[in-house]
Amino acid sequence: QKQYIPVIVDFFQDKRVKNIVCGHGHVYVVTYAGIVYVCGQLGLGDDLDIKKFRQIDFFKDRHVQKIVTGMFNTFAICDNDTVYSWGSN
């Protein structure tokens, strides 16, 4: 659904958001707790287009510091300086 004026994203009301990044058809949100949420074309092992934010299970035991996206790829930097990538790298 298109939004033409800013609205509060209720899903994040109880989360401390650190960073939001957008790629081509996907949005990632990283919290200060190191949790990663995504919507759009996900990179969760399928090519579904998800309309609601959901947590990426792969990173449940990894504290993500930062997400960087390109048009068709994504990179995550974790606490231990490990870098992960997915998409069309």
Side-chain angles (χ1 to χ4, degrees):
Q1 179 179 355
K2 293 182 181 181
Q3 282 298 137
Y4 297 104
I5 60 171
V7 297
I8 293 172
V9 180
D10 291 329
F11 182 81
F12 294 105
Q13 285 292 96
D14 63 341
K15 298 163 183 65
R16 292 189 56 228
V17 173
K18 179 178 183 179
N19 193 24
I20 301 170
V21 294
C22 301
H24 182 73
H26 55 281
V27 177
Y28 289 90
V29 176
V30 179
T31 68
Y32 280 95
I35 300 169
V36 180
Y37 297 95
V38 63
C39 74
Q41 294 283 331
L42 302 186
L44 299 175
D46 55 43
D47 61 354
L48 299 176
D49 190 6
I50 305 299
K51 302 294 183 195
K52 294 183 179 186
F53 281 97
R54 62 190 245 202
Q55 186 175 352
I56 298 180
D57 291 337
F58 179 83
F59 291 111
K60 277 190 177 177
D61 296 325
R62 299 165 176 92
H63 190 272
V64 176
Q65 287 293 321
K66 186 173 185 177
I67 294 276
V68 179
T69 64
M71 184 174 274
F72 300 110
N73 59 352
T74 305
F75 293 84
I77 304 168
C78 294
D79 265 356
N80 60 359
D81 293 329
T82 303
V83 176
Y84 294 91
S85 68
W86 61 98
S88 297
N89 300 315

